[in-house]
Amino acid sequence: MLSRVADNLYWMSRYIERAEGMSRMIQVHQSLALEYAGNDQQLEEFWQPVLKSICTDQVHLEAEGFRKIGKTLIFSDTYSNSIRSCISMARENARMVRDQLSEELWLELNNIYLLFRDGGAEKLYEQGSDHLLDRIARFSLVFQGLSDATIPHGEGWRFLSLGKYLERTDQTSRMLDTLNLRSKAPSRADLMSVLRCCIALSAFRLQFRGNLSLQNVANFLLFSEDFPRSIRFCLRAIDHSLHTISGFPSGAFSNEAERLTGSALAMVNFTSWEQVVEKGLHQTLDELQVTLIEIGQRVFETYVLLPSEIKSLGEIDSVQLAQAQQQQ
Amino acid sequence: MNPHSQFKNYSVDHFFDEMFIDKEGKNPRLHYERIFKRLDSLTESEISERRQQADTSFLEHGITFTVYGEEGGTERIFPFDPIPRVIPESEWSVVERGLRQRIIALNLFLNDIYHDGKIIKDGVIPEEIIRSSKNFRPEMAGFEPPQEVYAHICGTDLIRDDQGNYLVLEDNARCPSGASYLLENREIIKRAFPQTFGGMSVRPVEAYPDLLLRTLEHLSPRKSQKPVCVLLTPGVYNSAYFEHTFLARQMGIEIVEGKDLVSIDSFVYMRTTRGLVQVDVIYRRLDDDFLDPLVFRKDSMLGVPGLMDAYLRGNVALANAVGTGVADDKVTYAYVPDMIKYYLDEDAILPNVPTYLCWRDTDRSHVLENLQNLVVKAANESGGYGMLIGNQSTAKEREEFAQLIKSNPREYIAQPIISLSRHPTFCEEGIQGRHVDLRPFILYGEDVEIVPGGLTRVALKKGSLVVNSSQGGGSKDTWVLKDF
């Protein structure tokens, strides 16, 4: 497969996953904000840690005011992680690899793009923001279903998977991290919201009943063996994709991306909750996020750049370089 | 005629109408009878519904082109008119022979001028004209392209005059586009008018991608079972990007950008996740100027450094060859009938439009005195740019063109204003006559292959003679009918 095609598929998938995560994050926090915030001061205090966790250019977003923060996060043309931007970027990447996609996949993505381009998204939003946010989250899920059901599970599909799970690991870790960034100990509503952002509420209840505590929520999102949005599950999926692509047996490594993923996976496999507490949950998540960024870069170096170009990173085409940097 | 017919106000005026034989627009030609009856029975809303369906389908499937000039380029659909253009086989077979004759002569000409230049020595075409053509490539002198063919893919634009005679308006021998619309239009029309289509023996067009792939594979320098062919695109922001992905997908070959290819030791490779893979044939949708920054434009980011070297050593084939642009220069065009006579000793089956060459003193003074009655064209522009239509121009525009002609006579030609034939077309005001042309696609691999018909382009603006998509043109499906 062409290196650029692999790169386009990877990014298309990441952007779609990101749009889905953003839509759920906005939906959950808009509703949570109602409980927290009466005046503007409180509203700001509520949104600050959330924005900080998703690492956005706060100054820019704040300029629009916190009353409109949801709308800004959805529609902003200038904020590169707004849902509109994510959808555009996903579609731009898809246009470059249409031969790899089924017609059904393309139609699904292009329709959501046209919804944003032709003003339909604003109309839905005016009817109630949930109409639009649900539509986006559902689009992503349909897209995933279609990519499983309508395209060959070959190399290209593995790159889709890689992009999706890297993005998802990142999101779960960031949502969990919001609990560390609040000035007060997380309330029950805070914990519920984090679970909701990760569509983990029902799965959590199955395991822990109603026993809602920071320890249980963090345990679940970090270590769950079989919940498809837990960090452990996602890292295992990344590990599997990487080894299927390279053909190198799991448990060893043939490139840096595999080595980093393997060791991050080992970390979650062999770390106890007590050790997390000892290091600090925030510190643990922070280190994980740094590793994820590095895995993305190493994938790019391994499969997209020629060996000669890795050493002279300064000379390669600026677009490629920019793409290598797109990791939030 | 049905009293609510969409044709009840139809007027042929003084033009040649593709559908109607009489001036009143009541009696369709024999080969249009069935489609006329069908259209006649439809209400306005039924027709507009079909068009709406087609437009939505184009938009959703991303069948779009990019218009430059607006901020960052805007994606638009190429408007589709649901009333098909019909050509009887008896007429088409003549056109086909004419196109075949023309592409053979053009290729003999290219081979000649990049070798001995016999046609120049024998005084048929002035050397001056060829040397001064913007797209003449001295780098190609003495080079033997595979099978001695230069223009493998050619789009020749045909028009019909007020008597219905087919005339060649221009050849596109560099990177002709539009084949994807020809194929998509057929798919759409089958869905919009299934019964009408089904009842007639319309010659199929879907073989085009296979024929194109065979043409490309035929050029491979390595005689392997499965040569590696790629389509080289300028990238996602190019106006014809949809067509590039469409054709690559239909042929099952990779679509690559310049940065996906590298040239090492005079061979070309593509960069894959498994390392480098040697490339045999490049169907390039990139102008000569941008192919290789080491040889042509140094600032081109779109090409591949070292590509020309690999090409000239015969390690990779290009379709079309480098330097074909000299054959579709509008000044060279004027000599094509002479070429046909010179190389094939035949008369041109498809005549040219009479052409004045402004570098000739007598022609130039005639042109300057008659600007109002002529179409003036820049010799090396396309897409309907760089053009003056005398009777639709202002005095100021004519003055500007007069200056351009005087300062650079080589680069301008002029032709009488031809009343292009018209075709019933669905407009805001109901069905009306609009001017059309026809772009057949000619493939020259092992043999010459032409899919029946071609892309009919239609000037949707009332009275307009410009059919280019960048200038408000649309397109129609084109049916060649076997039994007529």
Side-chain angles (χ1 to χ4, degrees), chain A residues 59-91:
Chain A
V59 183
H60 172 74
L61 291 172
E62 285 167 12
E64 298 289 321
F66 283 93
R67 293 267 163 219
K68 283 200 275 177
I69 194 76
K71 196 168 182 184
T72 310
L73 289 169
I74 297 171
F75 291 109
S76 172
D77 282 320
T78 43
Y79 171 45
S80 62
N81 285 333
S82 73
I83 291 175
R84 183 198 289 282
S85 305
C86 289
I87 300 277
S88 295
M89 291 299 290
R91 196 244 188 194

mmCIF file of all heavy atoms in Angstrom, chain A residues 59-91:
data_model
loop_
_atom_site.group_PDB
_atom_site.id
_atom_site.type_symbol
_atom_site.label_atom_id
_atom_site.label_comp_id
_atom_site.label_asym_id
_atom_site.label_seq_id
_atom_site.Cartn_x
_atom_site.Cartn_y
_atom_site.Cartn_z
ATOM 1 N N VAL A 59 -7.497 30.473 25.074
ATOM 2 C CA VAL A 59 -7.685 31.913 24.890
ATOM 3 C C VAL A 59 -8.635 32.166 23.730
ATOM 4 O O VAL A 59 -9.579 32.940 23.817
ATOM 5 C CB VAL A 59 -6.327 32.593 24.602
ATOM 6 C CG1 VAL A 59 -6.517 34.092 24.475
ATOM 7 C CG2 VAL A 59 -5.338 32.251 25.706
ATOM 8 N N HIS A 60 -8.374 31.429 22.672
ATOM 9 C CA HIS A 60 -9.179 31.601 21.474
ATOM 10 C C HIS A 60 -10.644 31.247 21.723
ATOM 11 O O HIS A 60 -11.556 31.975 21.347
ATOM 12 C CB HIS A 60 -8.604 30.743 20.356
ATOM 13 C CG HIS A 60 -9.482 30.709 19.162
ATOM 14 N ND1 HIS A 60 -9.590 31.776 18.305
ATOM 15 C CD2 HIS A 60 -10.329 29.756 18.713
ATOM 16 C CE1 HIS A 60 -10.457 31.479 17.371
ATOM 17 N NE2 HIS A 60 -10.921 30.261 17.589
ATOM 18 N N LEU A 61 -10.862 30.122 22.368
ATOM 19 C CA LEU A 61 -12.233 29.670 22.597
ATOM 20 C C LEU A 61 -12.970 30.563 23.577
ATOM 21 O O LEU A 61 -14.148 30.829 23.431
ATOM 22 C CB LEU A 61 -12.230 28.230 23.121
ATOM 23 C CG LEU A 61 -11.794 27.185 22.107
ATOM 24 C CD1 LEU A 61 -11.630 25.842 22.774
ATOM 25 C CD2 LEU A 61 -12.823 27.080 20.989
ATOM 26 N N GLU A 62 -12.214 31.025 24.564
ATOM 27 C CA GLU A 62 -12.854 31.860 25.585
ATOM 28 C C GLU A 62 -13.340 33.174 25.009
ATOM 29 O O GLU A 62 -14.282 33.779 25.516
ATOM 30 C CB GLU A 62 -11.870 32.125 26.728
ATOM 31 C CG GLU A 62 -11.706 30.895 27.598
ATOM 32 C CD GLU A 62 -10.521 31.007 28.535
ATOM 33 O OE1 GLU A 62 -9.967 32.117 28.678
ATOM 34 O OE2 GLU A 62 -10.139 29.977 29.111
ATOM 35 N N ALA A 63 -12.699 33.602 23.933
ATOM 36 C CA ALA A 63 -13.090 34.875 23.327
ATOM 37 C C ALA A 63 -14.567 34.862 22.941
ATOM 38 O O ALA A 63 -15.236 35.880 22.976
ATOM 39 C CB ALA A 63 -12.223 35.155 22.102
ATOM 40 N N GLU A 64 -15.074 33.696 22.596
ATOM 41 C CA GLU A 64 -16.477 33.578 22.199
ATOM 42 C C GLU A 64 -17.407 33.547 23.413
ATOM 43 O O GLU A 64 -18.622 33.615 23.260
ATOM 44 C CB GLU A 64 -16.686 32.289 21.396
ATOM 45 C CG GLU A 64 -15.893 32.223 20.108
ATOM 46 C CD GLU A 64 -16.436 33.189 19.059
ATOM 47 O OE1 GLU A 64 -17.667 33.314 18.977
ATOM 48 O OE2 GLU A 64 -15.623 33.815 18.359
ATOM 49 N N GLY A 65 -16.831 33.384 24.594
ATOM 50 C CA GLY A 65 -17.642 33.374 25.809
ATOM 51 C C GLY A 65 -18.081 31.966 26.177
ATOM 52 O O GLY A 65 -18.303 31.126 25.325
ATOM 53 N N PHE A 66 -18.193 31.731 27.476
ATOM 54 C CA PHE A 66 -18.494 30.377 27.939
ATOM 55 C C PHE A 66 -19.956 29.990 27.743
ATOM 56 O O PHE A 66 -20.309 28.835 27.771
ATOM 57 C CB PHE A 66 -18.070 30.219 29.401
ATOM 58 C CG PHE A 66 -16.592 30.048 29.523
ATOM 59 C CD1 PHE A 66 -15.759 31.133 29.723
ATOM 60 C CD2 PHE A 66 -16.010 28.790 29.381
ATOM 61 C CE1 PHE A 66 -14.394 30.975 29.811
ATOM 62 C CE2 PHE A 66 -14.641 28.629 29.448
ATOM 63 C CZ PHE A 66 -13.826 29.721 29.673
ATOM 64 N N ARG A 67 -20.817 30.991 27.570
ATOM 65 C CA ARG A 67 -22.220 30.656 27.307
ATOM 66 C C ARG A 67 -22.353 29.913 25.980
ATOM 67 O O ARG A 67 -23.258 29.118 25.796
ATOM 68 C CB ARG A 67 -23.083 31.928 27.241
ATOM 69 C CG ARG A 67 -23.206 32.654 28.545
ATOM 70 C CD ARG A 67 -24.462 32.212 29.321
ATOM 71 N NE ARG A 67 -24.320 32.626 30.714
ATOM 72 C CZ ARG A 67 -24.703 31.890 31.742
ATOM 73 N NH1 ARG A 67 -25.262 30.714 31.548
ATOM 74 N NH2 ARG A 67 -24.529 32.323 32.974
ATOM 75 N N LYS A 68 -21.441 30.255 25.067
ATOM 76 C CA LYS A 68 -21.553 29.683 23.724
ATOM 77 C C LYS A 68 -20.485 28.633 23.463
ATOM 78 O O LYS A 68 -20.226 28.282 22.312
ATOM 79 C CB LYS A 68 -21.432 30.805 22.687
ATOM 80 C CG LYS A 68 -22.692 31.615 22.549
ATOM 81 C CD LYS A 68 -22.724 32.359 21.220
ATOM 82 C CE LYS A 68 -21.983 33.671 21.337
ATOM 83 N NZ LYS A 68 -21.885 34.427 20.115
ATOM 84 N N ILE A 69 -19.879 28.127 24.537
ATOM 85 C CA ILE A 69 -18.703 27.287 24.337
ATOM 86 C C ILE A 69 -19.015 26.024 23.520
ATOM 87 O O ILE A 69 -18.243 25.603 22.659
ATOM 88 C CB ILE A 69 -18.049 26.924 25.699
ATOM 89 C CG1 ILE A 69 -16.657 26.348 25.497
ATOM 90 C CG2 ILE A 69 -18.898 25.972 26.492
ATOM 91 C CD1 ILE A 69 -15.634 27.375 25.180
ATOM 92 N N GLY A 70 -20.214 25.450 23.772
ATOM 93 C CA GLY A 70 -20.591 24.240 23.043
ATOM 94 C C GLY A 70 -20.638 24.508 21.547
ATOM 95 O O GLY A 70 -20.064 23.777 20.741
ATOM 96 N N LYS A 71 -21.289 25.606 21.208
ATOM 97 C CA LYS A 71 -21.436 25.956 19.798
ATOM 98 C C LYS A 71 -20.068 26.201 19.161
ATOM 99 O O LYS A 71 -19.808 25.785 18.029
ATOM 100 C CB LYS A 71 -22.323 27.197 19.676
ATOM 101 C CG LYS A 71 -22.837 27.389 18.279
ATOM 102 C CD LYS A 71 -23.933 28.447 18.213
ATOM 103 C CE LYS A 71 -24.424 28.542 16.767
ATOM 104 N NZ LYS A 71 -25.415 29.590 16.579
ATOM 105 N N THR A 72 -19.201 26.868 19.906
ATOM 106 C CA THR A 72 -17.863 27.139 19.382
ATOM 107 C C THR A 72 -17.107 25.831 19.122
ATOM 108 O O THR A 72 -16.473 25.673 18.087
ATOM 109 C CB THR A 72 -17.059 27.999 20.378
ATOM 110 O OG1 THR A 72 -17.865 29.108 20.748
ATOM 111 C CG2 THR A 72 -15.765 28.484 19.761
ATOM 112 N N LEU A 73 -17.203 24.934 20.076
ATOM 113 C CA LEU A 73 -16.488 23.661 19.917
ATOM 114 C C LEU A 73 -17.028 22.855 18.730
ATOM 115 O O LEU A 73 -16.308 22.066 18.137
ATOM 116 C CB LEU A 73 -16.586 22.814 21.195
ATOM 117 C CG LEU A 73 -15.790 23.318 22.402
ATOM 118 C CD1 LEU A 73 -16.192 22.564 23.662
ATOM 119 C CD2 LEU A 73 -14.293 23.177 22.157
ATOM 120 N N ILE A 74 -18.277 23.072 18.401
ATOM 121 C CA ILE A 74 -18.842 22.355 17.249
ATOM 122 C C ILE A 74 -18.477 23.046 15.940
ATOM 123 O O ILE A 74 -17.996 22.418 15.007
ATOM 124 C CB ILE A 74 -20.383 22.271 17.339
ATOM 125 C CG1 ILE A 74 -20.803 21.476 18.569
ATOM 126 C CG2 ILE A 74 -20.956 21.613 16.082
ATOM 127 C CD1 ILE A 74 -22.303 21.525 18.855
ATOM 128 N N PHE A 75 -18.707 24.346 15.878
ATOM 129 C CA PHE A 75 -18.713 25.012 14.574
ATOM 130 C C PHE A 75 -17.467 25.822 14.220
ATOM 131 O O PHE A 75 -17.344 26.265 13.091
ATOM 132 C CB PHE A 75 -19.933 25.931 14.465
ATOM 133 C CG PHE A 75 -21.236 25.178 14.395
ATOM 134 C CD1 PHE A 75 -22.127 25.184 15.458
ATOM 135 C CD2 PHE A 75 -21.565 24.458 13.259
ATOM 136 C CE1 PHE A 75 -23.329 24.491 15.390
ATOM 137 C CE2 PHE A 75 -22.760 23.765 13.173
ATOM 138 C CZ PHE A 75 -23.638 23.780 14.242
ATOM 139 N N SER A 76 -16.591 26.060 15.175
ATOM 140 C CA SER A 76 -15.490 26.980 14.888
ATOM 141 C C SER A 76 -14.721 26.581 13.625
ATOM 142 O O SER A 76 -14.389 25.423 13.407
ATOM 143 C CB SER A 76 -14.522 27.014 16.070
ATOM 144 O OG SER A 76 -13.390 27.765 15.707
ATOM 145 N N ASP A 77 -14.454 27.599 12.786
ATOM 146 C CA ASP A 77 -13.639 27.363 11.591
ATOM 147 C C ASP A 77 -12.161 27.401 11.923
ATOM 148 O O ASP A 77 -11.338 26.849 11.216
ATOM 149 C CB ASP A 77 -13.893 28.465 10.559
ATOM 150 C CG ASP A 77 -15.198 28.244 9.836
ATOM 151 O OD1 ASP A 77 -15.494 27.084 9.522
ATOM 152 O OD2 ASP A 77 -15.920 29.235 9.605
ATOM 153 N N THR A 78 -11.852 28.121 12.998
ATOM 154 C CA THR A 78 -10.447 28.366 13.276
ATOM 155 C C THR A 78 -9.867 27.380 14.295
ATOM 156 O O THR A 78 -8.674 27.134 14.298
ATOM 157 C CB THR A 78 -10.255 29.803 13.804
ATOM 158 O OG1 THR A 78 -11.301 30.057 14.737
ATOM 159 C CG2 THR A 78 -10.337 30.791 12.664
ATOM 160 N N TYR A 79 -10.737 26.818 15.113
ATOM 161 C CA TYR A 79 -10.251 25.859 16.097
ATOM 162 C C TYR A 79 -10.093 24.497 15.418
ATOM 163 O O TYR A 79 -11.060 23.930 14.912
ATOM 164 C CB TYR A 79 -11.244 25.796 17.262
ATOM 165 C CG TYR A 79 -10.970 24.685 18.242
ATOM 166 C CD1 TYR A 79 -9.666 24.438 18.694
ATOM 167 C CD2 TYR A 79 -12.000 23.882 18.712
ATOM 168 C CE1 TYR A 79 -9.424 23.416 19.581
ATOM 169 C CE2 TYR A 79 -11.762 22.855 19.603
ATOM 170 C CZ TYR A 79 -10.466 22.626 20.032
ATOM 171 O OH TYR A 79 -10.211 21.609 20.897
ATOM 172 N N SER A 80 -8.876 23.975 15.417
ATOM 173 C CA SER A 80 -8.585 22.824 14.556
ATOM 174 C C SER A 80 -9.204 21.514 15.054
ATOM 175 O O SER A 80 -9.264 20.551 14.321
ATOM 176 C CB SER A 80 -7.086 22.652 14.400
ATOM 177 O OG SER A 80 -6.520 22.395 15.671
ATOM 178 N N ASN A 81 -9.668 21.481 16.307
ATOM 179 C CA ASN A 81 -10.335 20.270 16.776
ATOM 180 C C ASN A 81 -11.847 20.420 16.897
ATOM 181 O O ASN A 81 -12.509 19.562 17.478
ATOM 182 C CB ASN A 81 -9.773 19.836 18.129
ATOM 183 C CG ASN A 81 -8.401 19.202 17.972
ATOM 184 O OD1 ASN A 81 -8.091 18.641 16.926
ATOM 185 N ND2 ASN A 81 -7.572 19.321 18.993
ATOM 186 N N SER A 82 -12.383 21.511 16.353
ATOM 187 C CA SER A 82 -13.844 21.625 16.388
ATOM 188 C C SER A 82 -14.413 20.480 15.552
ATOM 189 O O SER A 82 -13.726 19.929 14.691
ATOM 190 C CB SER A 82 -14.299 22.965 15.808
ATOM 191 O OG SER A 82 -14.148 22.965 14.398
ATOM 192 N N ILE A 83 -15.677 20.145 15.814
ATOM 193 C CA ILE A 83 -16.268 19.031 15.066
ATOM 194 C C ILE A 83 -16.278 19.338 13.577
ATOM 195 O O ILE A 83 -15.957 18.494 12.760
ATOM 196 C CB ILE A 83 -17.682 18.740 15.591
ATOM 197 C CG1 ILE A 83 -17.564 18.164 17.011
ATOM 198 C CG2 ILE A 83 -18.412 17.762 14.691
ATOM 199 C CD1 ILE A 83 -18.877 17.927 17.717
ATOM 200 N N ARG A 84 -16.583 20.594 13.240
ATOM 201 C CA ARG A 84 -16.576 20.960 11.829
ATOM 202 C C ARG A 84 -15.199 20.703 11.207
ATOM 203 O O ARG A 84 -15.096 20.117 10.134
ATOM 204 C CB ARG A 84 -16.950 22.439 11.672
ATOM 205 C CG ARG A 84 -17.043 22.878 10.213
ATOM 206 C CD ARG A 84 -16.973 24.394 10.088
ATOM 207 N NE ARG A 84 -18.130 25.104 10.564
ATOM 208 C CZ ARG A 84 -19.284 25.215 9.893
ATOM 209 N NH1 ARG A 84 -19.423 24.653 8.731
ATOM 210 N NH2 ARG A 84 -20.285 25.894 10.399
ATOM 211 N N SER A 85 -14.148 21.131 11.931
ATOM 212 C CA SER A 85 -12.799 20.937 11.398
ATOM 213 C C SER A 85 -12.478 19.449 11.252
ATOM 214 O O SER A 85 -11.908 19.028 10.248
ATOM 215 C CB SER A 85 -11.739 21.576 12.304
ATOM 216 O OG SER A 85 -12.016 22.920 12.525
ATOM 217 N N CYS A 86 -12.841 18.679 12.272
ATOM 218 C CA CYS A 86 -12.561 17.235 12.219
ATOM 219 C C CYS A 86 -13.235 16.588 11.015
ATOM 220 O O CYS A 86 -12.630 15.785 10.307
ATOM 221 C CB CYS A 86 -13.048 16.531 13.481
ATOM 222 S SG CYS A 86 -12.057 16.910 14.928
ATOM 223 N N ILE A 87 -14.507 16.946 10.789
ATOM 224 C CA ILE A 87 -15.250 16.346 9.676
ATOM 225 C C ILE A 87 -14.609 16.748 8.345
ATOM 226 O O ILE A 87 -14.434 15.930 7.446
ATOM 227 C CB ILE A 87 -16.728 16.799 9.705
ATOM 228 C CG1 ILE A 87 -17.396 16.382 11.019
ATOM 229 C CG2 ILE A 87 -17.488 16.279 8.491
ATOM 230 C CD1 ILE A 87 -17.906 14.980 11.086
ATOM 231 N N SER A 88 -14.244 18.023 8.225
ATOM 232 C CA SER A 88 -13.605 18.480 6.983
ATOM 233 C C SER A 88 -12.303 17.749 6.733
ATOM 234 O O SER A 88 -12.012 17.328 5.622
ATOM 235 C CB SER A 88 -13.268 19.968 7.035
ATOM 236 O OG SER A 88 -14.419 20.700 7.118
ATOM 237 N N MET A 89 -11.503 17.621 7.788
ATOM 238 C CA MET A 89 -10.204 16.969 7.628
ATOM 239 C C MET A 89 -10.385 15.481 7.302
ATOM 240 O O MET A 89 -9.669 14.929 6.476
ATOM 241 C CB MET A 89 -9.355 17.123 8.893
ATOM 242 C CG MET A 89 -8.882 18.537 9.161
ATOM 243 S SD MET A 89 -7.839 19.174 7.839
ATOM 244 C CE MET A 89 -6.383 18.171 8.087
ATOM 245 N N ALA A 90 -11.360 14.870 7.945
ATOM 246 C CA ALA A 90 -11.606 13.450 7.665
ATOM 247 C C ALA A 90 -11.997 13.284 6.200
ATOM 248 O O ALA A 90 -11.507 12.410 5.493
ATOM 249 C CB ALA A 90 -12.714 12.913 8.564
ATOM 250 N N ARG A 91 -12.860 14.171 5.731
ATOM 251 C CA ARG A 91 -13.333 14.060 4.362
ATOM 252 C C ARG A 91 -12.221 14.391 3.366
ATOM 253 O O ARG A 91 -12.106 13.782 2.319
ATOM 254 C CB ARG A 91 -14.522 15.003 4.193
ATOM 255 C CG ARG A 91 -15.348 14.710 2.957
ATOM 256 C CD ARG A 91 -15.272 15.851 2.053
ATOM 257 N NE ARG A 91 -16.172 15.747 0.917
ATOM 258 C CZ ARG A 91 -16.031 16.542 -0.118
ATOM 259 N NH1 ARG A 91 -15.082 17.433 -0.119
ATOM 260 N NH2 ARG A 91 -16.846 16.432 -1.153
#
